[in-house]
Amino acid sequence: MPDFYPRLKFRSMKSLGKNSGFRVLLQKMYLSERPWCKLTHPTLSHMKEAPPEAAQEHFLSEQDESYVVFYFSVKMGEFCEKFKPPMPRYVRGTAFHYFKRFYLYNSVMNYHPKEILVTAVYLACKVEEFNVSMQQFVANVQGNQERATKIILNNELLLMQELQFHLTVHNPFRAVEGFLIDMKTRCNSVHSVDSFRPEIESFLDSVFLTEAWMIYAPSQIALAAIIHAASRQKQNLDSYVTESLFGEQGEEAILHIIT
């Protein structure tokens, strides 16, 4: 396992329980030397090549892989949070998109999440025009920076290919700003709209660890974040949502949107 990334702190992942089980997953991923463990891409036919009694012992299940992807998604968030110069939130959002979409079609047993993690962040910086040089980027990576540079450059084209070169990502941040501006002008029942921002940011950080952004439109996620922030501050947005936003849609449409 590469040693130039931020050191893993298993105790920080309460959802994975005590780290012994997660270490077993990592051992399955990278320590097996069985001849039929030479993985193929992208069909994961290695599961069929292995003897039935050995497949469960030496390979990860779908749920196991989701745990691993979730874990490294959290590590990506920590990496972006500590990045210097400070990274805009929309760059972080795009990086999460790339990372999760890559593992929709690939296995963590084929491609190490650590390598795809930094590659996704680097590609997101370029696509979102957050101008950092490679030297500046790898300065944020612990350990062998020359090795990190080679890994990023070797995986960049692979990542774009697996994303089918669909690199434009519509994050919910612009929609959030639009809603906040609209609330300042049309929602008299809410005081200090800007006080919602910490709760909104926390909500969106949590959403990026899930698959919700692959199911719902950015505007829906943005509205959910604002409603969540309002509820945490015990402010009511019902009249704003049902009258100002969806008043012309009719009751049936509003019920469909809410449920």
Side-chain angles (χ1 to χ4, degrees):
M1 297 171 63
D3 59 357
F4 54 83
Y5 298 95
R7 289 182 175 81
L8 306 184
K9 297 180 180 178
F10 290 92
R11 64 180 179 274
S12 66
M13 291 299 298
K14 295 180 181 179
S15 62
L16 293 180
K18 299 187 177 177
N19 63 352
S20 58
F22 193 74
R23 289 185 185 277
V24 170
L25 298 185
L26 295 180
Q27 289 174 354
K28 281 187 178 183
M29 289 166 59
Y30 306 113
L31 301 184
S32 180
E33 297 180 353
R34 304 290 181 178
W36 32 262
C37 282
K38 295 180 180 179
L39 309 184
T40 56
H41 170 74
T43 61
L44 297 182
S45 61
H46 55 279
M47 293 293 289
K48 298 179 180 179
E49 297 172 6
E53 67 277 3
Q56 184 175 2
E57 179 181 357
H58 292 278
F59 294 102
L60 302 183
S61 66
E62 182 178 353
Q63 186 176 28
D64 292 337
E65 292 204 41
S66 69
Y67 290 155
V68 174
V69 171
F70 176 78
Y71 176 82
F72 283 101
S73 296
V74 174
K75 303 312 292 184
M76 173 183 283
E78 295 176 0
F79 176 76
C80 294
E81 186 70 28
K82 298 176 182 178
F83 195 88
K84 301 295 180 183
M87 183 179 294
R89 298 184 65 81
Y90 59 85
V91 178
R92 295 169 57 181
T94 299
F96 276 111
H97 276 252
Y98 291 167
F99 183 74
K100 287 292 190 72
R101 281 167 56 194
F102 180 87
Y103 284 111
L104 284 177
Y105 303 101
N106 297 282
S107 170
V108 296
M109 294 184 287
N110 285 351
Y111 301 103
H112 201 305
K114 288 183 178 181
E115 298 180 359
I116 302 303
L117 183 158
V118 288
T119 307
V121 176
Y122 180 71
L123 181 60
C125 290
K126 295 173 69 174
V127 171
E128 297 292 352
E129 299 183 356
F130 176 54
N131 295 319
V132 291
S133 65
M134 177 61 79
Q135 289 182 340
Q136 288 177 301
F137 187 89
V138 297
N140 292 274
V141 177
Q142 295 182 2
N144 191 328
Q145 295 180 359
E146 181 179 356
R147 185 182 178 192
T149 300
K150 292 181 179 179
I151 286 178
I152 292 171
L153 295 178
N154 288 339
N155 284 293
E156 186 176 12
L157 180 58
L158 168 68
L159 177 59
M160 288 191 290
Q161 289 176 331
E162 293 304 313
L163 297 175
Q164 299 180 5
F165 297 94
H166 295 162
L167 304 182
T168 300
V169 172
H170 299 283
N171 285 298
F173 302 110
R174 288 187 179 180
V176 165
E177 294 301 323
F179 278 126
L180 293 179
I181 293 172
D182 188 57
M183 289 171 61
K184 290 177 181 179
T185 58
R186 296 202 295 168
C187 185
N188 298 323
S189 61
V190 174
H191 305 286
S192 185
V193 172
D194 287 327
S195 65
F196 288 3
R197 290 185 183 276
E199 294 291 347
I200 290 173
E201 292 177 358
S202 177
F203 179 88
L204 293 179
D205 286 342
S206 299
V207 167
F208 280 125
L209 298 177
T210 72
E211 282 68 43
W213 54 266
M214 291 189 287
I215 302 173
Y216 301 103
S219 57
Q220 291 177 292
I221 296 175
L223 181 58
I226 290 175
I227 293 175
H228 168 78
S231 65
R232 292 296 296 267
Q233 296 196 14
K234 299 181 179 180
Q235 299 196 50
N236 195 325
L237 292 181
D238 289 350
S239 61
Y240 170 71
V241 174
T242 58
E243 296 175 11
S244 299
L245 290 182
F246 304 118
E248 298 179 357
Q249 300 288 331
E251 293 185 2
E252 293 185 2
I254 294 174
L255 182 63
H256 175 73
I257 292 170
I258 294 176
T259 56

